[in-house]
Amino acid sequence: MTYINDLSDVGPDDVAVAGGKAVGLGGLIHAGLPVPPGFVLTTDAYAHFVDANHLAADIQDIATLPRHSEPQAYEDASQRITALFRTGTMPAEIAAELGAAYGHLGSRETAVAVRSSATAEDLASASFAGQQETYLNVRGMVELSTAVIDCWASLWTARAMAYRAREGVGPQEVRLAVVIQQMVEAEAAGVMFTANPSNGRRDQTVISAAWGLGESVVSGMVTTDDVVVDAGTGTVVSRRTADKDVMTVYAEKGTRQQPVAAARRREPVLDDRAAAELVRHGRRATDHFGAPQDIEWARAAGKFFILQSRPITALPEPAADIPDTWPLPYPQGLYFRASIVEQLPDPLSPLFADMIDGSVARSLTALLAEALGKNVIRDGDVRMPTINGYAYYYYRTSGMWRMMGKVLAAVGALARGKAHMGVAGWREFSHPRYERVIKDWQAKPPAELTGGELLEGAQALLDAGTVYYTAVQSIIPLAATSELSFRAFYDKLVRRDGDPPAQTFLLGYDSEPIRAEKSLFDLAVWARSDPGLTSALLERPTAALAECQRTGSPPAGVDNPLWQEWRFAFQEHLDLYGHAVYNLDFASPVAADDPSALLETVKFYLRGQGTDPHERQRELTERRESLTEQMAGRLGPRRRAAFLRLLRWAQEMAPIREDALADVGLAWPLLRRMLLELGQRLVDSGVIASPDDVFWLRHQELGSAVDFGLAAPGVRAAVVISGAARPVRAAAVEERRMLWRGWVKAAAPQMLPESRWMERAFGSMMPAGSQHQRGDVIKGVGASSGRVSAPARVLAGPQDFGQMEPGDVLVARITTPAWTSLFAMASAVVTDVGGPLSHSSIVAREYGIPAVLGTGVATQRLATGQQILVDGDAGTVTIERQAGADATPGGDVVGA
């Protein structure tokens, strides 16, 4: 019997004997693509090895476990079966054919890669079972035979057996082929998608590239260059060149990591010509297989090699126009990006998207049932689905009509301060309940919890945060109503020419974001009292300071007692304010995780920049009180009483709204610790490459990992490839990250379906402007008065905060209370989302800087460094092709 097939002889009908990997490589060869020479050891060889060593009965006995056996039972069974394979002897017939085929690849020491090739009956598509082995840089017959036997044994990993038991696949039904290929001593390698997974465009190819061997790219261990190429012309559409600090190279046995030479770290791995050449290979593979491909490639001595090709999964359908690119998951309903969605400006991470939908539906249904009556809201009336990754509130049309009929009842419930609603409900019920849930889970150290308990705790904390935010939504309309009522009364019955705007009477009050800013200023004042500490804080890189804060080790030149005193004081600030979210998606770190953004603000104040927030607040308070006395003094008794009553109401509500919103993320530091603990355990189990990859798993995948016992404390990867764990979900995680990077470039419509009647009916209620603005003038909502011409600084999140320069115009999708520290540096604020009563508006007024909010397109239309004129009175942002006559560059106020 022949146990060896050359890869060039493997056809599409040979999956049962050669496995999917070998069939794919055979197809690439038939398509004329450069594939490293190699052969496949068929499934008959596996069967002969088992029969010759009399292993079948023992494997059957050991592997036949009850369907719901504990994970440890599968671990024990796997170890026993692996031991059986390793004590077995390679049959002479197989050894002879293997040796002859190996010899045809070169010398007896030729380096080869040894890979499992699963059959159609195996579990290659399973998320956590059927993990396939790869051994790299295998040299000599002794190592080759060992690697082959280890590949065969990998059919019996604990999770593969657990999965097969669940699916009812018997131990006697599975076999494995093994592919042996000559190693490519790659100078560069990576992955290529022959259709753009971010937008589904079949005319674009996306390449990820890094120095060294491709294992580090596939496993997600390195940051890659990303190049988008027009597949038809080979023209580079866009490229992002990463800082590539490490690379995978050959070791004496297997592989190892080594630093990239400094000169090559920021050098593009592929120039335009090389990228175009690789794309031509990709087009040939796509044409051969008849579908877009996910391809692993390597480059050695200037020549490309194709190492593997498989169909791209989850590729979105291409779209010709905007309406078709926003498919509605539920018919007969309306979709809005408002309320809580304002704190979700970017596409969601997959795990957050899965968990938040049901959480919001449950909490919002409960709130509406309390406000409107239990029979008004029905299952499925409200949800939070994602469309192209972006979160939307969904209201079923029939449910909206039922709710509309009860609007007056809801207003009455708010006005009466019905239990759990309004200010009283927030103070007496919602906030204390949220704190209790957090306290209960804080008593359980994450490292000591089972995987199931960690997942349960994460959901419980998210649900508590969602319930809290839902309750806060009953405060927001009260705050809005109070300010609008006072403004309307003041503008119509009090204000005269030359009088200040109504919002002047609402400034100078304490709120959680303002208290956080004063705390940072006080820390800077305290640090300035010691020259050594001041020097260390100003001269050390912010990332290094954050690491010193985490570890407790003092920076060079700072006495340890002094550093510990500073560290304690700064930690107190983080304990009080470090939970403020930059983005409600828990994939985004909060300051408690990474305080770099706050340290940048401390440095700003240490350099003597900005104004003393205590003094600013004192001046605003004095002016407010003086103006209040002046206005009240010229009014008659009735009008004065109404003026003061409405003013007190608005002054009370505005800070409460900010206090309530600032604590939405109160559970997030603990919630993230629990999920990252799960992530670390999945790294240890070989599921993902990095702990924060956990946020890119689907909830069902995470639940399956927990069920399989892969997230139990102390679990370590049973599968080893050349000394390094191979994460089974690395490719899926990278594909989802790439998809996210494409989605984040889109301008999500504020309402769906997009139609004129939707715009007429709800446009005035939406927090963002039109996504279809053209020309040099961008329109939004003027939310804080003044005109400033200055350079734009477009920031995606806290990772960009260090780029902010004093006098820049802060441009962001939205700002939350966690962004407040940047307002001290900004000369103006421009956002995609927000309105005159949003956080951005309130804080901009406190700082006396112009704000134009709700533009819908600012982050897409504007670029960092571009000179723009922000007019907070007109609600416009003008792109200045050249400085105008009345526009003073550098952040100067125009026409003040």
Side-chain angles (χ1 to χ4, degrees):
M1 178 180 286
T2 298
Y3 298 103
I4 299 287
N5 285 340
D6 190 273
L7 289 175
S8 62
D9 296 329
V10 177
D13 298 327
D14 293 331
V15 173
V17 295
K21 190 181 298 294
V23 167
L25 290 168
L28 292 170
I29 294 170
H30 297 156
L33 288 162
V35 175
F39 56 89
V40 58
L41 197 59
T42 66
T43 55
D44 290 332
Y46 170 86
H48 185 32
F49 175 87
V50 170
D51 290 342
N53 288 282
H54 308 292
L55 303 181
D58 288 339
I59 292 173
Q60 178 78 19
D61 290 342
I62 297 170
T64 304
L65 295 170
R67 185 174 181 181
H68 297 293
S69 294
E70 293 295 319
Q72 190 58 48
Y74 287 105
E75 289 288 350
D76 293 343
S78 176
Q79 292 176 13
R80 292 172 62 192
I81 293 174
T82 299
L84 290 176
F85 274 84
R86 288 179 176 172
T87 56
T89 301
M90 182 79 74
E93 310 93 297
I94 299 177
E97 287 195 37
L98 182 62
Y102 179 47
H104 290 152
L105 295 181
S107 71
R108 287 289 181 173
E109 292 296 318
T110 297
V112 293
V114 181
R115 294 184 170 95
S116 303
S117 184
T119 65
E121 293 76 25
D122 198 11
L123 304 166
S125 61
S127 293
F128 298 102
Q131 180 177 347
Q132 297 187 5
E133 282 285 23
T134 293
Y135 296 91
L136 302 179
N137 197 23
V138 175
R139 297 175 184 269
M141 272 303 297
V142 174
E143 286 188 20
L144 178 58
S145 297
T146 300
V148 167
I149 293 173
D150 283 344
C151 268
W152 285 335
S154 73
L155 192 56
W156 304 99
T157 63
R159 46 188 175 275
M161 286 192 292
Y163 185 88
R164 290 197 292 263
R166 286 173 146 222
E167 298 299 311
V169 179
Q172 72 283 355
E173 299 178 50
V174 291
R175 296 192 298 177
L176 197 70
V178 179
V179 168
I180 293 95
Q181 275 182 291
Q182 185 174 326
M183 284 288 293
V184 176
E185 197 160 351
E187 63 199 32
V191 176
M192 170 171 58
F193 296 90
T194 65
N196 193 329
S198 68
N199 54 27
R201 291 184 59 170
R202 272 63 170 175
D203 61 342
Q204 291 182 343
T205 296
V206 179
I207 302 170
S208 294
W211 299 118
L213 303 177
E215 288 303 303
S216 56
V217 177
V218 175
S219 66
M221 288 186 289
V222 298
T223 303
T224 59
D225 290 355
D226 294 329
V227 188
V228 180
V229 183
D230 184 290
T233 65
T235 303
V236 171
V237 176
S238 67
R239 76 163 56 239
R240 183 184 67 86
T241 303
D243 182 359
K244 301 167 286 291
D245 55 347
V246 295
M247 60 191 292
T248 303
V249 298
Y250 290 128
E252 184 177 344
K253 289 187 177 181
T255 62
R256 61 182 174 84
Q257 298 293 307
Q258 77 173 31
V260 175
R264 304 183 76 194
R265 285 180 56 164
R266 294 177 177 83
E267 179 186 344
V269 174
L270 300 177
D271 60 21
D272 289 4
R273 179 178 296 181
E277 180 185 349
L278 183 57
V279 167
R280 287 195 291 274
H281 291 318
R283 288 184 63 188
R284 185 173 293 180
T286 297
D287 292 342
H288 176 81
F289 292 111
Q293 297 291 298
D294 171 359
I295 295 171
E296 294 178 28
W297 58 270
R299 195 182 193 207
K303 181 180 179 181
F304 284 108
F305 293 90
I306 306 301
L307 308 180
Q308 182 169 310
S309 184
R310 52 183 174 264
I312 299 176
T313 58
L315 184 66
E317 288 300 316
D321 51 35
I322 290 176
D324 289 342
T325 63
W326 300 91
L328 306 182
Y330 308 112
Q332 299 178 340
L334 305 179
Y335 297 77
F336 302 97
R337 280 184 54 75
S339 190
I340 192 174
V341 178
E342 292 185 25
Q343 297 202 32
L344 294 166
D346 297 327
L348 306 188
S349 63
L351 184 59
F352 185 81
D354 288 348
M355 294 176 70
I356 195 66
D357 184 7
S359 187
V360 165
R362 290 188 295 271
S363 63
L364 190 55
T365 297
L367 176 72
L368 292 172
E370 183 174 10
L372 306 177
K374 293 183 179 179
N375 297 325
V376 176
I377 302 300
R378 300 170 188 170
D379 287 344
D381 277 350
V382 294
R383 298 203 61 170
M384 184 175 277
T386 59
I387 304 176
N388 286 349
Y390 287 89
Y392 280 84
Y393 265 126
Y394 162 78
Y395 293 91
R396 188 158 51 195
T397 306
S398 58
M400 283 199 74
W401 284 114
R402 279 183 261 114
M403 286 184 265
M404 294 288 286
K406 295 288 185 177
V407 169
L408 292 178
V411 173
L414 280 175
R416 293 191 303 273
K418 193 172 181 179
H420 308 169
M421 298 176 68
V423 176
W426 168 68
R427 283 179 174 151
E428 298 168 13
F429 176 77
S430 303
H431 199 278
R433 180 190 178 279
Y434 193 18
E435 290 181 311
R436 281 197 304 274
V437 174
I438 297 168
K439 186 177 181 180
D440 289 345
W441 283 99
Q442 278 176 332
K444 308 169 185 178
E448 298 176 10
L449 297 177
T450 66
E453 289 169 334
L454 286 171
L455 195 54
E456 177 192 354
Q459 187 68 65
L461 290 168
L462 179 65
D463 286 347
T466 306
V467 169
Y468 174 81
Y469 187 91
T470 302
V472 170
Q473 289 183 83
S474 67
I475 292 178
I476 294 173
L478 291 175
T481 302
S482 69
E483 180 170 336
L484 291 172
S485 299
F486 170 71
R487 187 190 303 171
F489 182 90
Y490 174 78
D491 288 344
K492 187 174 183 179
L493 300 174
V494 179
R495 190 177 185 182
R496 300 173 183 171
D497 289 344
D499 285 346
Q503 52 261 39
T504 307
F505 295 87
L506 307 180
L507 303 179
Y509 283 96
D510 248 350
S511 65
E512 196 75 349
I514 300 301
R515 286 190 288 271
E517 183 216 355
K518 291 192 293 187
S519 173
L520 287 176
F521 179 83
D522 292 343
L523 282 168
V525 171
W526 179 78
R528 197 180 293 128
S529 65
D530 187 281
L533 182 57
T534 299
S535 296
L537 292 173
L538 287 177
E539 294 171 7
R540 299 291 185 279
T542 302
L545 292 173
E547 182 66 11
C548 290
Q549 177 69 27
R550 185 184 68 83
T551 63
S553 301
V558 179
D559 291 338
N560 187 55
L562 178 62
W563 177 253
Q564 298 309 324
E565 190 176 355
W566 157 263
R567 183 170 176 252
F568 178 79
F570 190 70
Q571 187 59 48
E572 280 190 318
H573 176 92
L574 294 179
D575 292 341
L576 287 171
Y577 308 111
H579 58 266
V581 295
Y582 303 101
N583 180 327
L584 200 57
D585 189 334
F586 49 47
S588 299
V590 293
D593 301 313
D594 180 4
S596 297
L598 303 187
L599 288 167
E600 289 288 349
T601 302
V602 171
K603 288 185 173 186
F604 171 75
Y605 284 131
L606 272 176
R607 288 191 291 264
Q609 298 169 310
T611 60
D612 181 341
H614 300 279
E615 182 62 21
R616 185 191 69 237
Q617 189 175 48
R618 185 189 63 77
E619 291 176 356
L620 290 172
T621 300
E622 287 183 356
R623 186 179 184 219
R624 180 194 73 223
E625 292 177 349
S626 174
L627 286 170
T628 300
E629 184 178 351
Q630 177 185 332
M631 296 298 159
R634 72 188 191 197
L635 299 176
R638 290 185 179 180
R639 193 172 296 184
R640 182 191 308 120
F643 169 76
L644 293 175
R645 185 170 62 252
L646 289 171
L647 177 58
R648 282 194 296 270
W649 184 30
Q651 288 174 338
E652 176 190 11
M653 290 305 305
I656 289 175
R657 176 190 182 280
E658 290 297 287
D659 287 348
L661 285 174
D663 274 356
V664 169
L666 201 60
W668 264 230
L670 178 59
L671 172 55
R672 281 180 47 81
R673 282 201 299 275
M674 297 175 85
L675 289 174
L676 289 170
E677 173 68 25
L678 275 173
Q680 182 58 59
R681 295 181 189 182
L682 296 186
V683 171
D684 294 339
S685 295
V687 176
I688 53 180
S690 172
D692 60 3
D693 284 352
V694 71
F695 302 119
W696 298 87
L697 298 178
R698 308 301 321 194
H699 186 261
Q700 184 176 3
E701 292 173 335
L702 186 54
S704 295
V706 170
D707 291 344
F708 286 139
L710 302 178
V715 172
R716 290 294 181 268
V719 179
V720 176
I721 303 169
S722 307
R726 177 182 175 83
V728 295
R729 300 307 292 160
V733 165
E734 177 55 30
E735 187 171 324
R736 290 166 191 170
R737 287 184 188 271
M738 188 176 294
L739 192 61
W740 187 95
R741 289 195 292 269
W743 281 337
V744 80
K745 300 173 185 175
Q750 293 303 114
M751 299 174 288
L752 290 171
E754 291 185 288
S755 64
R756 290 183 179 178
W757 81 264
M758 279 280 284
E759 180 67 29
R760 286 196 301 267
F762 301 103
S764 63
M765 301 165 56
M766 287 296 98
S770 169
Q771 273 81 24
H772 309 297
Q773 299 194 48
R774 298 290 184 269
D776 289 345
V777 178
I778 301 171
K779 296 180 180 179
V781 177
S784 183
S785 298
R787 298 176 75 220
V788 162
S789 175
R793 180 68 62 176
V794 183
L795 303 181
Q799 70 276 11
D800 298 337
F801 280 14
Q803 302 171 15
M804 188 74 183
E805 297 287 344
D808 286 347
V809 176
L810 169 59
V811 182
R813 288 203 175 205
I814 192 171
T815 69
T816 66
W819 291 68
T820 301
S821 59
L822 293 185
F823 282 66
M825 305 184 198
S827 60
V829 177
V830 177
T831 67
D832 290 347
V833 178
L837 301 177
S838 67
H839 164 79
S840 306
S841 170
I842 292 170
V843 178
R845 294 177 206 160
E846 288 282 342
Y847 283 87
I849 58 177
V852 176
L853 313 179
T855 64
V857 295
T859 57
Q860 294 188 324
R861 295 286 312 283
L862 301 177
T864 290
Q866 201 168 32
Q867 194 76 13
I868 59 175
L869 174 63
V870 182
D871 190 330
D873 298 297
T876 60
V877 180
T878 304
I879 301 171
E880 298 184 295
R881 300 302 175 183
Q882 58 182 16
D886 65 343
T888 307
D892 292 338
V893 176
V894 178

